[in-house]
Amino acid sequence: MAHVVILGAGTGGMPAAYEMKHALGAGHEVTLISTNDYFQFVPSNPWLGVGWSKREDITFPIRPYVERRGIKFIAKNAEKIDAEAQTITLADGSSVHYDYLMIATGPRLAFELVPGSDPHEGPVQSVCTTDHAELAYGKYQELLENPGPIVIGAMAGASCFGPAYEYAMIVASDLKKRGMRDKVPSFSFVTSEPYIGHLGISGVGDSTGILTKGLEEEGIKAYTNCKVSKVENGEMFITQVNDKGETVKEFTLPVKFGMMIPAFRGIPAVANVEGLCNPGGFVIVDDNQRSKKYSNIYAVGIAIAIPPVEATPVPTGAPKTGYMIESMVSASVYNIKADIEGRVGDKTMGTWNAVCFADMGDRGAAFVALPQIKPRKVDIFAYGRWVHLAKVAFEKYFIRKMKMGVSEPFYERVLFKMMGITRLKEETEVEQRKAS
Ligand SMILES: Cc1cc2nc3c(=O)[nH]c(=O)nc-3n(C[C@H](O)[C@H](O)[C@H](O)COP(=O)(O)OP(=O)(O)OC[C@H]3O[C@@H](n4cnc5c(N)ncnc54)[C@H](O)[C@@H]3O)c2cc1C
């Protein structure tokens, strides 16, 4: 009997536990280990950050749902992985032995790269976790009581730009609803992207035109090619560079309330494993989601190393979005099962297509970039009220799916069909990824 441990119970890890157990059946053991005993639906955190959602709407306890499916659950932080001994040491000093490990630990938020940017230290908030989004909402309420300048955007090295645009548009929309938009003296969008709508993937469809217009319509002034060096005494210190990376301007923006997506790094327990990760602490995997160094370690989601789509004057990374993560999970499950069953050479790959739905207030933007690197077979950036409604429905669907113990991405496939994307056969996508 093999023991498969899934580390991290987020967007990748929780579906992975279900899919792994479903694939292996009762003959093998699956254990899910995660720091918190609750699941959080990360894509809805921006709504929590303006009070449009509540914590109880987007979180739920993990244990009763996974245990019902025969999965063991341990709610403890992993402190150390000994890849040679195949053990994980947990926060209470106990250890868990594994035959196969799937790492799904998401990002460590690297606030230390920009002094003063930690949400607990100053005006710049984060919506990357539910705890942070709640904290952001508290600070947002203070802003409503005593309005001041707003800065939203993404730091140098960030890879997840969608939520930055999303939160800027949601805040603008919320201020309008409250009749308070004109009370805010300035509203800026500061980003490390070389141009608006780059999104870490060299743009997609007319992302630049649509997002530029969207920001303009909300009276949000955009600054691109920017590196924030620190946040101090209510000022954000910014260096703006040209296309060659040469400094063209150093300036400060006042900030009473801000939200900047930080650069991500791998979590310490993973980053510290000898030979497992790149310098950023992300697991180096082969085409089959398997560690290049340890043949019984697989990794999915934000925890894996993916090179940037292109070099940008201020460093940016490639996003790892939900549908792509689900495809990594399916590939890992398939490959682990094949390995356990001794089917040598029977392997599959994830599709790694960039698909994202971002809410923009009463509207939304959806993009599909297939493959991530141009030239693409599918290159769509759609905008409209239907995306907002689709994102609302997606939250309900995904949470329900996680409670029911199902991991098949049915809803995403329906949306793809609605967007006219029919070339979804796995072989086609794998072929495209190989070509890129
Ligand atoms: C604000 C925001 C909005 C986003 N919106 C979208 C969207 O709309 N659509 C989309 O496709 N993508 C979106 N993404 C991108 C991506 O889909 C999410 O970030 C997704 O949650 C990543 O999944 P993951 O499983 O890699 O990591 P996570 O979901 O972050 O899960 C990581 C898990 O590992 C656990 N963990 C971490 N360290 C340890 C440890 N030491 N021991 C044990 N457990 C540990 C964590 O507690 C967590 O449960 C968004 C990202 C952000 C930040």
Side-chain angles (χ1 to χ4, degrees):
M1 181 173 90
H3 183 205
V4 182
V5 170
I6 318 280
L7 190 59
T11 307
M14 195 158 174
Y18 286 132
E19 206 167 324
M20 197 75 244
K21 187 66 194 168
H22 181 73
L24 294 181
H28 301 280
E29 199 183 344
V30 176
T31 301
L32 179 63
I33 301 177
S34 205
T35 308
N36 300 315
D37 61 2
Y38 60 89
F39 176 85
Q40 51 182 302
F41 186 65
V42 172
S44 292
N45 283 340
W47 286 333
L48 192 62
V50 286
W52 290 4
S53 227
K54 293 196 184 67
R55 188 182 188 93
E56 54 270 29
D57 299 332
I58 62 168
T59 61
F60 62 87
I62 294 168
R63 187 179 303 284
Y65 299 102
V66 297
E67 284 187 348
R68 197 184 295 163
R69 299 278 161 184
I71 298 161
K72 190 174 172 200
F73 178 59
I74 302 174
K76 291 193 177 99
N77 196 63
E79 303 285 323
K80 188 172 179 250
I81 299 169
D82 184 335
E84 301 295 345
Q86 300 177 199
T87 55
I88 302 170
T89 306
L90 303 176
D92 62 355
S94 62
S95 68
V96 176
H97 183 270
Y98 61 82
D99 296 307
Y100 292 85
L101 172 62
M102 196 194 300
I103 295 171
T105 42
R108 178 177 76 74
L109 309 173
F111 297 120
E112 77 282 2
L113 299 176
V114 182
S117 69
D118 188 303
H120 296 281
E121 285 173 19
V124 174
Q125 301 300 302
S126 145
V127 289
C128 292
T129 67
T130 302
D131 286 347
H132 284 161
E134 266 190 335
L135 187 64
Y137 181 46
K139 296 284 177 194
Y140 180 62
Q141 284 172 304
E142 288 173 21
L143 176 92
L144 295 175
E145 276 165 29
N146 186 9
I150 299 177
V151 184
I152 291 175
M155 298 294 191
S159 51
C160 192
F161 295 96
Y165 288 98
E166 197 170 26
Y167 195 58
M169 302 298 267
I170 288 172
V171 167
S173 173
D174 188 70
L175 288 170
K176 274 198 296 192
K177 278 187 193 156
R178 294 172 190 268
M180 291 195 62
R181 179 63 185 88
D182 58 347
K183 303 275 187 299
V184 171
S186 64
F187 196 149
S188 311
F189 188 82
V190 174
T191 179
S192 47
E193 295 160 281
Y195 49 85
I196 291 299
H198 179 278
L199 300 167
I201 50 170
S202 315
V204 48
D206 187 25
S207 54
T208 298
I210 293 170
L211 289 172
T212 302
K213 188 161 171 260
L215 293 173
E216 274 170 14
E217 281 175 358
E218 297 299 342
I220 301 171
K221 186 163 169 39
Y223 300 85
T224 55
N225 265 338
C226 286
K227 181 180 189 313
V228 177
S229 54
K230 63 176 176 177
V231 182
E232 198 175 79
N233 299 326
E235 299 278 329
M236 189 177 278
F237 290 73
I238 301 161
T239 302
Q240 195 168 32
V241 302
N242 61 18
D243 290 347
K244 293 183 190 133
E246 299 157 346
T247 299
V248 288
K249 196 170 156 191
E250 289 188 319
F251 62 106
T252 61
L253 286 175
V255 51
K256 174 83 191 287
F257 175 75
M259 196 297 292
M260 298 290 287
I261 299 290
F264 292 166
R265 294 287 183 266
I267 63 124
V270 171
N272 292 339
V273 178
E274 175 67 32
L276 182 69
C277 297
N278 72 6
F282 299 107
V283 182
I284 302 165
V285 292
D286 64 14
D287 283 344
N288 311 112
Q289 304 300 139
R290 181 146 93 163
S291 157
K292 289 196 176 173
K293 166 126 184 164
Y294 302 98
S295 62
N296 62 346
I297 297 184
Y298 290 71
V300 300
I302 289 185
I304 74 161
I306 293 186
V309 165
E310 64 173 348
T312 48
V314 178
T316 57
K320 297 156 201 165
T321 50
Y323 188 77
M324 178 196 268
I325 294 171
E326 298 209 43
S327 89
M328 295 181 198
V329 166
S330 296
S332 301
V333 168
Y334 185 95
N335 295 331
I336 291 174
K337 183 170 191 254
D339 209 56
I340 290 173
E341 293 175 354
R343 286 184 273 122
V344 180
D346 185 4
K347 293 172 187 168
T348 188
M349 294 167 74
T351 56
W352 291 25
N353 300 319
V355 180
C356 194
F357 294 87
D359 186 48
M360 303 276 169
D362 60 349
R363 287 164 188 275
F367 70 75
V368 183
L370 188 167
Q372 285 224 52
I373 296 173
K374 292 178 176 178
R376 297 187 181 128
K377 295 277 193 290
V378 183
D379 191 64
I380 296 177
F381 192 88
Y383 184 73
R385 182 154 173 73
W386 73 269
V387 187
H388 169 76
L389 298 173
K391 181 135 189 181
V392 173
F394 183 62
E395 174 196 292
K396 311 273 173 264
Y397 164 81
F398 196 91
I399 290 176
R400 195 170 159 71
K401 194 167 81 160
M402 286 305 97
K403 288 184 174 176
M404 285 172 65
V406 183
S407 65
E408 167 64 14
F410 166 76
Y411 179 91
E412 296 88 327
R413 287 179 199 279
V414 171
L415 275 175
F416 279 12
K417 287 268 187 267
M418 282 169 61
M419 292 170 79
I421 302 163
T422 50
R423 292 176 57 84
L424 274 176
K425 282 201 163 46
E426 197 165 315
E427 316 85 71
T428 319
E429 294 162 340
V430 168
E431 198 183 290
Q432 284 159 357
R433 209 180 118 214
K434 269 184 185 153
S436 69

